[in-house]
Amino acid sequence: MTEITSEAAAAPQTVIHGEKISLLRVLGPAHVWALGVGIVLVGEFMGWNFAVGKGGALAALIACWVAGLLYTCVAMIDSEVTSTVAAAGGQYAQAKHIVGPLMAFNVGLFLVMAYTMLEAANAITAGYLIQTVGGMAGFDSVHDKPFIVLTIMGLALLNYRGVYATLTFNLVITAIAFIAIILLFFGVRPWSNELLKPAEFLNGLPYGWLGVIAALHFGLWFYLGIEGTTQAAEEVRSPARSLPLGTMLGMITLLIAAAITWYVCVSLMPWEYLGQAVTPLFDAARLTDSTGLMVLLFIGTIFSTLASANGCINDASRAWFSMGRDRYMPAWFGAVHPQYRTPFRSIFFLVPIALIFALGAPLDQVVTFSILSGLLGYTFMSFNMMMFRAKWPLGSIKRGYVHPLHPLPAIVLFVLCAATYFAVFLGYGTQLVAMMVFYIVVSMWFAFHRYKFVRRGDQFTMPWPRPKGY
């Protein structure tokens, strides 16, 4: 009883002079675009190419477009639900209002782990690239570990100082990284066939259609994290306008970048090499023998990793902050900095977790951890959308955006998620099972221990009528 009393006494928000300090609403559609694309664009600079190793270049292309369909469904569903449930935590807040506490806890954890692992993968890539370029410049003593630590610690500090500066920084470096991909495309002159030789490197499907399914695993990396736009819902000036617009424009941007990336890379290098490269776009620039393109793609790769890690810290901390504010985690994490208005405790708590994985785990396993955590969240979204429309039909509550063709996007999303689980099992079955066990164990911890601290009545902040049938 003493423990319950102490938890209940902890304020879910910081209070200064009797006034609750909340997050600032300062973001517009461009910041939403920068958050979504900034997190994901690094997937064009690294990680996606492991799909080539799984099934060949054509399999990676098929996986790219199938994953694009999956994430288009995610963006459509997210745009409707989040423009209606405009609260920090994104899908966590959706689960809390629509499904129930156990689902909300798991979805919150999926989000935190997906973004924290993606942050670690970005830091690994940045450190590797700096070490590689240092070696090319004759500095063989350059090591990647200090740069990994510097990346994570520096971006955590930036996030601590304020969301507007954080996402404005993301807007600038994300735009530069995207322009680098466009300039590489025009720099290799695809209309002349002087540099690009797709006919020489495209070798069909070396592992058949099973390889196409296996490639789905890393095909998600082209778009993983676009759903992160919802994490800023409580800090956007006009959620009903900014969230759908920023998210949809982000998906269009990523589809263009993914198509260009695949075409340039598979036309410049054999699939056997491409399938295990750490920085495929930078390697593609090196193969053009153009110093200008090589420097440009070095900058683009570094900027994309920084933008992604920066956005991941923002999103993971918002999800963890929301869970603390609702007492799904200790209420201590629900504090807002009185000056910078950021969830500062959540930001710094997740730093050592990211560092442990960035310094001690292989890149492909860190990527897989992030993908699987995200995939579990997408599977939830298909059920969430069906329940949302069933409980609150169109016309019963005000929606900022209504996605078309319901329930087709939810059904397609569920089917594609199921296929991707099988794809992950083909190459990383042990890790898949281990992660499922991990999430089951923490779910039991929440159900049997943590749930007694949760105040269900304090969580429902939306002025909605009683659900249909209740």
Side-chain angles (χ1 to χ4, degrees):
M1 194 65 189
T2 304
E3 188 178 10
I4 296 176
T5 303
S6 63
E7 279 284 347
Q13 290 179 302
T14 301
V15 178
I16 301 295
H17 302 305
E19 179 185 355
K20 284 186 177 181
I21 304 298
S22 59
L23 303 176
L24 288 174
R25 288 192 177 274
V26 293
L27 305 179
H31 295 100
V32 174
W33 176 89
L35 177 59
V37 176
I39 289 175
V40 187
L41 195 63
V42 71
E44 272 65 26
F45 288 87
M46 67 90 173
W48 71 270
N49 53 299
F50 295 146
V52 177
K54 289 290 183 181
L58 285 178
L61 178 63
I62 297 170
C64 168
W65 289 111
V66 171
L69 176 60
L70 184 154
Y71 278 92
T72 299
C73 294
V74 167
M76 291 168 65
I77 292 171
D78 252 357
S79 293
E80 174 171 334
V81 183
T82 307
S83 63
T84 310
V85 188
Q91 292 82 7
Y92 159 76
Q94 299 171 20
K96 181 179 66 176
H97 284 84
I98 299 169
V99 184
L102 183 59
M103 178 63 81
F105 171 79
N106 276 282
V107 169
L109 201 58
F110 298 157
L111 291 168
V112 171
M113 298 311 296
Y115 293 128
T116 303
M117 293 305 103
L118 178 50
E119 175 193 347
N122 291 322
I124 292 171
T125 303
Y128 170 85
L129 184 59
I130 292 173
Q131 185 179 34
T132 300
V133 173
M136 292 169 58
F139 300 100
D140 295 329
S141 61
V142 174
H143 295 289
D144 58 341
K145 297 296 189 291
F147 292 101
I148 290 174
V149 175
L150 183 62
T151 297
I152 293 175
M153 294 294 292
L155 292 176
L157 181 60
L158 178 62
N159 275 266
Y160 164 74
R161 292 298 297 269
V163 69
Y164 188 81
T166 297
L167 294 189
T168 300
F169 173 70
N170 250 38
L171 176 61
V172 173
I173 62 176
T174 298
I176 294 172
F178 180 68
I179 291 170
I181 296 177
I182 300 297
L183 292 179
L184 175 64
F185 179 71
F186 286 104
V188 296
R189 301 184 298 279
W191 55 84
S192 69
N193 291 325
E194 294 177 10
L195 289 173
L196 303 185
K197 308 292 182 183
E200 295 181 13
F201 297 123
L202 290 177
N203 62 332
L205 300 173
Y207 304 126
W209 286 99
L210 188 63
V212 174
I213 296 174
L216 273 176
H217 174 184
F218 291 106
L220 265 63
W221 201 245
F222 274 117
Y223 316 98
L224 182 74
I226 185 63
E227 73 281 359
T229 55
T230 64
Q231 300 300 316
E234 206 168 304
E235 296 161 280
V236 173
R237 289 190 296 268
S238 176
R241 171 177 174 269
S242 298
L243 290 172
L245 180 60
T247 302
M248 293 303 183
L249 288 176
M251 271 305 302
I252 294 170
T253 303
L254 294 171
L255 287 166
I256 293 170
I260 291 175
T261 297
W262 177 87
Y263 181 69
V264 170
C265 288
V266 303
S267 300
L268 281 172
M269 61 190 89
W271 72 275
E272 295 91 344
Y273 173 80
L274 179 60
Q276 51 83 44
V278 175
T279 53
L281 274 176
F282 177 68
D283 291 349
R286 292 173 65 185
L287 290 171
T288 66
D289 293 327
S290 168
T291 302
L293 284 177
M294 187 174 68
V295 171
L296 177 66
L297 268 296
F298 168 75
I299 294 171
T301 304
I302 289 294
F303 277 9
S304 70
T305 57
L306 292 177
S308 182
N310 195 37
C312 286
I313 294 171
N314 180 91
D315 285 358
S317 63
R318 265 61 182 178
W320 197 258
F321 157 79
S322 298
M323 295 173 75
R325 185 170 59 179
D326 295 331
R327 297 183 176 83
Y328 283 60
M329 289 294 178
W332 186 80
F333 292 114
V336 177
H337 194 281
Q339 179 181 353
Y340 302 124
R341 308 284 281 277
T342 55
F344 64 107
R345 291 174 182 167
S346 296
I347 289 171
F348 289 121
F349 174 76
L350 296 172
V351 166
I353 299 174
L355 285 173
I356 288 170
F357 282 89
L359 296 173
L363 178 60
D364 62 334
Q365 292 186 18
V366 174
V367 169
T368 298
F369 199 160
S370 181
I371 287 174
L372 278 172
S373 298
L375 194 61
L376 287 165
Y378 307 146
T379 306
F380 143 76
M381 288 174 61
S382 60
F383 294 105
N384 182 61
M385 188 66 235
M386 302 293 280
M387 293 181 67
F388 183 51
R389 283 287 185 97
K391 288 184 174 182
W392 293 280
L394 295 181
S396 62
I397 59 175
K398 183 179 179 180
R399 287 166 162 82
Y401 168 80
V402 177
H403 83 268
L405 305 177
H406 178 78
L408 186 60
I411 295 171
V412 171
L413 177 59
F414 179 79
V415 171
L416 294 180
C417 284
T420 309
Y421 284 119
F422 179 65
V424 175
F425 178 77
L426 290 176
Y428 293 79
T430 302
Q431 189 171 351
L432 174 62
V433 172
M435 283 186 59
M436 291 301 184
V437 170
F438 166 74
Y439 282 119
I440 290 171
V441 170
V442 293
S443 295
M444 293 173 63
W445 170 82
F446 174 78
F448 293 110
H449 171 68
R450 188 68 211 173
Y451 181 65
K452 63 178 176 282
F453 300 118
V454 176
R455 292 177 176 177
R456 290 283 287 156
D458 292 348
Q459 299 175 37
F460 299 103
T461 57
M462 306 306 299
W464 293 349
R466 184 177 292 273
K468 183 179 179 181
Y470 286 76

